[in-house]
Amino acid sequence: MKRNVLCAVVIISILAASSMLFHKKHSPPEKKPSVNEPGRPLPDESHTFSPFVPQQQPDRICLTLTHDPTTSINIQWRTHNLSGHPVVQIALLSAGPIEKTGIIQTCLASSQIFRHPHYDAVHHHANITGLKPATTYLYRVGDGLKWSEWFQFQTSQPSHQPFEFLFFGDLQEDIRGSCSRIIRQAFLNHPNTRFMLFIGDIVRHGNNDTEWHEFFQATGWLTGMFPTIATPGNHEYKNTQITSAWGAHFQFPSNGPQGCEELNNTCYFIDYQGTRFISLNTNAMRGFHLKAVLAQRQWLQTLLRNNDNDWTVIFHHHPVDSPTQSESGKKQLQWLFSPLYEKYHVDLVLQGDAHTYGRGHKSHDKNNPDSPIYIVSNSGAHMNKPDAPWASVSGSDKQLYQHISISKNQLNYQAIAADGSLFDHFILKK
Ligand SMILES: [Fe+2]
């Protein structure tokens, strides 16, 4: 018995020793991690689980306003291939499961493939029409197998009714890291907003898909619930061409100047509950598109002359007068456009580009001092110093968003900083 126990102990000891030898021979040496030591390398963008690579599950779901927001809306999204038929399903708002209330409309989308250095993406666009005014709808996008979650949106009122919207200046730098908080805070403070207005330079490199992904990370599900309107900045251009990413993500009304293809999807107008919003493409005013400048001026004049809205808001990326003297105002805007703003009593001109804040009146027509209020704002992390005397309110080193509420007789304007403090405000009355 004792001999058996001794044998068992010897065998176990031999096995344990050989196990240790085996372990030492085949396992990597133990090493204490150092604070400065890099971790395992992250996969590059070519890897399928990079967040920038589209999946079969829809992402970057984005509503944009149409020419008639009372009865229609545009929906954009992205997937990795063209499997199945890309469709939008529409249902009426319901308290319970949507399966009980049923789908009231299914709309087939159009699709386009975009080739990136390490992957392809398919961008889908659907124009939903035949909706009822002042109605909340549910929708989801997909291909019959993979679906987004159900989102909801509201069509606008057919009459002049009060509403609120948010205006964001250039995002451009550190979009996910620094711009997300101001967008989120804007919606936390103003959940009744009806849409978002972006003044261009949403990204720094217009054809960089990673930066566009940052924008959709920063906005999250908001772009699927609150429509976007936007005008392009110089960073959405490469030389004289707008980057393809603009049209991939946003489809705006095609009611701009006729016969000027370079203005498509950038120059348009929307009448929203008694306010006319007009997007001008100021990139076309930078010396290389004289035809586009003159076409916009003629189109604008017709729009302003035939306007039965209570309020008029014009928005373009480059400012008529910049809050920074180093950013000289665009002479075409000062000579050809701002006289029209004054003649036809435009109320607000929303602008960006200068990466600082300025607000003020400045008439460019001595015979007609009824100038609109010009605003230049900045929502992103890149800052310039204001040093131009035209602005009655100016400031820098602040990320700002603007909340604007409009009723028939009153316009309330607030510029709010990233810490929630009120930086600027005024009221216009009619
Ligand atoms: Fe910019």
Side-chain angles (χ1 to χ4, degrees):
M1 184 69 182
K2 277 185 182 175
R3 187 188 294 169
N4 288 344
V5 170
L6 188 62
C7 281
V9 169
V10 169
I11 289 168
I12 288 168
S13 300
I14 291 169
L15 285 173
S18 62
S19 167
M20 286 174 68
L21 283 171
F22 181 86
H23 182 78
K24 282 186 177 172
K25 188 176 176 184
H26 294 278
S27 300
E30 280 187 25
K31 190 177 164 187
K32 283 191 177 176
S34 153
V35 173
N36 296 321
E37 190 175 300
R40 285 194 297 177
L42 292 170
D44 64 24
E45 281 191 25
S46 64
H47 206 282
T48 52
F49 56 83
S50 164
F52 310 117
V53 176
Q55 309 294 317
Q56 196 174 352
Q57 191 81 32
D59 68 1
R60 301 191 189 178
I61 298 160
C62 182
L63 300 173
T64 49
L65 288 181
T66 64
H67 175 62
D68 181 8
T70 59
T71 62
S72 62
I73 199 156
N74 286 332
I75 305 174
Q76 288 76 217
W77 73 98
R78 180 186 85 140
T79 56
H80 87 292
N81 63 18
L82 273 171
S83 66
H85 296 293
V87 294
V88 179
Q89 290 182 329
I90 306 281
L92 286 170
L93 182 65
S94 63
I98 292 145
E99 289 70 24
K100 302 267 184 195
T101 53
I103 308 298
I104 61 166
Q105 188 183 149
T106 299
C107 180
L108 191 62
S110 59
S111 305
Q112 193 177 356
I113 297 175
F114 289 81
R115 304 210 181 278
H116 300 289
H118 303 297
Y119 54 88
D120 293 343
V122 185
H123 287 259
H124 310 282
H125 163 64
N127 174 233
I128 313 297
T129 58
L131 304 172
K132 290 179 183 167
T135 305
T136 301
Y137 291 94
L138 298 167
Y139 79 94
R140 66 175 180 175
V141 302
D143 61 2
L145 293 172
K146 295 283 185 183
W147 293 100
S148 69
E149 66 272 42
W150 289 94
F151 292 87
Q152 65 188 59
F153 66 89
Q154 271 181 287
T155 50
S156 66
Q157 305 259 4
S159 55
H160 296 194
Q161 295 291 327
F163 69 97
E164 307 167 21
F165 72 99
L166 295 166
F167 155 41
F168 294 97
D170 301 33
L171 302 179
Q172 191 174 316
E173 306 280 345
D174 194 23
I175 305 160
R176 186 181 70 84
S178 294
C179 300
S180 51
R181 68 177 182 132
I182 196 148
I183 294 166
R184 291 166 191 175
Q185 188 195 74
F187 275 92
L188 285 172
N189 291 340
H190 307 287
N192 294 320
T193 196
R194 299 305 300 275
F195 58 85
M196 297 177 270
L197 188 157
F198 292 97
I199 207 67
D201 285 4
I202 290 172
V203 295
R204 182 173 173 78
H205 304 95
N207 52 9
N208 185 320
D209 198 51
T210 302
E211 293 181 24
W212 282 103
H213 203 79
E214 286 199 35
F215 169 69
F216 285 98
Q217 287 179 313
T219 49
W221 52 268
L222 293 167
T223 54
M225 298 274 275
F226 300 91
T228 288
I229 60 175
T231 193
N234 46 295
H235 284 273
E236 278 88 26
Y237 270 74
K238 180 146 188 180
N239 300 323
T240 60
Q241 293 293 317
I242 194 162
T243 54
S244 59
W246 183 263
H249 295 105
F250 305 133
Q251 286 294 312
F252 297 117
S254 49
N255 56 12
Q258 296 296 305
C260 219
E261 203 174 308
E262 61 263 50
L263 297 176
N264 286 354
N265 206 29
T266 60
C267 189
Y268 58 89
F269 76 97
I270 296 164
D271 290 342
Y272 198 98
Q273 295 185 187
T275 300
R276 174 158 288 182
F277 290 87
I278 303 172
S279 168
L280 294 178
N281 185 342
T282 47
N283 296 281
M285 299 178 194
R286 303 178 83 204
F288 45 78
H289 282 230
L290 185 59
K291 181 184 165 195
V293 173
L294 297 177
Q296 286 189 89
R297 188 181 189 279
Q298 188 175 10
W299 171 79
L300 176 67
Q301 188 161 25
T302 304
L303 279 184
L304 295 177
R305 196 184 279 152
N306 305 296
N307 182 8
D308 61 358
N309 289 274
D310 298 321
W311 302 88
T312 304
V313 176
I314 291 181
F315 58 107
H316 45 69
H317 182 69
H318 298 93
V320 174
D321 290 285
S322 176
T324 56
Q325 289 180 344
S326 57
E327 296 275 333
S328 62
K330 303 295 177 284
K331 295 298 178 195
Q332 293 96 323
L333 280 168
Q334 293 176 2
W335 294 341
L336 295 174
F337 288 82
S338 61
L340 290 183
Y341 302 169
E342 294 168 24
K343 181 177 180 182
Y344 293 102
H345 311 292
V346 169
D347 299 291
L348 293 183
V349 180
L350 308 180
Q351 310 159 107
D353 189 54
H355 293 264
T356 186
Y357 184 84
R359 188 258 290 181
H361 282 280
K362 183 178 178 184
S363 177
H364 295 89
D365 180 355
K366 287 176 185 163
N367 299 317
N368 188 354
D370 185 15
S371 164
I373 294 183
Y374 292 93
I375 296 155
V376 177
S377 188
N378 182 38
S379 296
H382 176 60
M383 302 286 169
N384 288 332
K385 290 284 177 200
D387 58 1
W390 71 270
S392 52
V393 178
S394 59
S396 188
D397 296 330
K398 287 184 185 341
Q399 287 182 258
L400 295 162
Y401 74 87
Q402 286 65 225
H403 173 254
I404 300 168
S405 63
I406 300 180
S407 62
K408 186 165 182 59
N409 301 314
Q410 186 163 308
L411 184 151
N412 286 31
Y413 172 96
Q414 293 182 312
I416 299 160
D419 62 357
S421 61
L422 182 63
F423 176 69
D424 186 21
H425 68 103
F426 60 82
I427 295 174
L428 296 179
K429 291 190 177 184
K430 289 198 174 182

